[in-house]
Amino acid sequence: MTITKLPQADTPTYTHRIDTDEVRPRFDALVEELAHAVFSVDAIATGLNTSLDTVGTIVRSVPSHEGRLLERGIAMLTGFNPDLVVLTQNIRLPVSKAAVELVEMNRPAQYRSLTLDADCSGRKSYAPDLIVLNRKTHVAHVVEVKRSLNSYETSRITDLKTRMLAASLIVPDLLYKEHRRLVAEDVRVVILNAENQRTDIEGGVWPLSHLDHLLEVTGAGEMMKSLQQAFRDRIEQNWKQALQSVSGGIEGRGVSAAAASPTQANDTPATAGSDTDPPPDGIVRFGFARIPIARTG
């Protein structure tokens, strides 16, 4: 897997932009909430005073909490594009044997027009972190958010992409039946790698900095990087204070009480197509996420 950079001339500009003044307080509250849950000064100090196993448990939980932070942050930023509907909770897509065989044994062009019934059963399933649908373009993205792919072998990434493509075959039927007649005519899968390494733009592995293109919102990628850094800085700050507390330098002080959790995007009903919208009757396309064609508007 190689690192691919977009030429500057190919980078489109978007009508929608991130309002930093609006997002910053919400991101601060999100960092406060997740950091206080497990990584408060008192919790870390207690771990340091207990055992190495307890400390190890705290450290090992950092990636999962950071992954949750990124998912919720992206869901917040989708609100800056009024054409987007985002699904974030309780998404479980069946992965049937037939779907896997379609993906493994055929080129994408040979199954792009096929859709599978959302009610089909399978021993395996796949739960994406997000499904983002643009109601205007009818493009749906099945999104997997990874804090890092450094520990992933190539075969493991390939297997993940196969499951994502196989699961995406039921997305049009799922959106139409279970989410207010939402219509998807083009379903694309993308893995967002927050470390911006081991990217494969054509193969559906994007750096987090390309979030602008996924949401069609200028500044989304940079805003997410600042959220990630703020979370890491808070944990490091709490860790240093806990060490000082344990060593007797200062009294352990926890971070302020957890701020009220900002409303997640899924908690607010999104305006979707009415029940009278006609069902999708055109060709539904599937494949990896693609960078939009440059435009000047």
Side-chain angles (χ1 to χ4, degrees):
M1 191 172 295
T2 58
I3 297 176
T4 306
K5 294 183 179 180
L6 284 179
Q8 187 65 30
D10 291 342
T11 303
T13 56
Y14 299 111
T15 302
H16 310 294
R17 300 184 64 88
I18 294 297
D19 184 339
T20 305
D21 292 337
E22 177 183 342
V23 176
R24 185 65 63 188
R26 298 175 66 190
F27 273 12
D28 288 346
L30 181 57
V31 169
E32 185 80 6
E33 175 193 344
L34 292 181
H36 183 80
V38 180
F39 310 109
S40 68
V41 175
D42 287 342
I44 296 173
T46 299
L48 291 171
N49 278 319
T50 304
S51 68
L52 187 61
D53 287 342
T54 304
V55 174
T57 299
I58 294 174
V59 173
R60 286 191 297 272
S61 68
V62 172
S64 62
H65 281 79
E66 187 172 314
R68 193 172 301 115
L69 174 93
L70 296 174
E71 293 168 24
R72 291 179 60 180
I74 292 171
M76 286 183 187
L77 297 187
T78 60
F80 285 92
N81 185 340
D83 295 325
L84 298 183
V85 176
V86 59
L87 308 179
T88 62
Q89 296 178 347
N90 301 320
I91 311 169
R92 189 160 292 279
L93 308 176
V95 179
S96 67
K97 181 180 178 181
V100 172
E101 289 178 348
L102 277 173
V103 172
E104 290 182 337
M105 301 176 65
N106 296 278
R107 292 187 297 273
Q110 294 175 303
Y111 59 81
R112 287 180 68 85
S113 61
L114 298 177
T115 59
L116 298 182
D117 194 325
D119 298 325
C120 70
S121 60
R123 290 185 302 172
K124 297 181 180 179
S125 64
Y126 166 68
D129 294 320
L130 305 162
I131 294 180
V132 181
L133 172 71
N134 189 311
R135 292 193 303 267
K136 185 176 181 180
T137 63
H138 296 165
V139 174
H141 282 96
V142 177
V143 184
E144 180 83 12
V145 182
K146 293 297 184 185
R147 176 179 180 266
S148 174
L149 289 176
N150 291 337
S151 62
Y152 278 63
E153 296 180 354
T154 301
S155 59
R156 187 178 174 192
I157 297 175
T158 300
D159 179 67
L160 173 59
K161 291 196 291 185
T162 298
R163 284 189 289 117
M164 293 177 72
L165 285 169
S168 73
L169 293 173
I170 71 144
V171 168
D173 193 51
L174 177 78
L175 293 177
Y176 185 75
K177 287 182 176 178
E178 300 185 16
H179 296 279
R180 301 181 181 182
R181 302 296 193 267
L182 293 174
V183 176
E185 296 177 351
D186 196 344
V187 183
R188 307 173 185 176
V189 304
V190 60
I191 301 171
L192 287 178
N193 182 13
E195 292 295 338
N196 288 351
Q197 297 175 350
R198 298 188 67 185
T199 59
D200 180 5
I201 303 302
E202 297 299 324
V205 182
W206 288 11
L208 191 60
S209 58
H210 277 34
L211 186 64
D212 295 37
H213 308 307
L214 180 64
L215 305 184
E216 297 191 22
V217 176
T218 300
E222 285 298 318
M223 201 70 211
M224 285 302 302
K225 291 301 294 182
S226 71
L227 172 65
Q228 183 183 35
Q229 190 60 51
F231 182 69
R232 293 179 177 182
D233 289 345
R234 169 53 66 87
I235 293 177
E236 183 175 355
Q237 175 188 353
N238 289 359
W239 188 272
K240 290 178 179 178
Q241 290 185 24
L243 286 174
Q244 291 177 338
S245 173
V246 171
S247 64
I250 60 171
E251 254 182 62
R253 296 193 301 273
V255 295
S256 59
S261 173
T263 302
Q264 297 187 39
N266 237 27
D267 294 336
T268 303
T271 303
S274 67
D275 288 343
T276 59
D277 287 347
D281 57 359
I283 294 178
V284 181
R285 296 178 296 277
F286 299 88
F288 293 119
R290 300 193 301 273
I291 300 298
I293 299 174
R295 59 179 183 268
T296 58

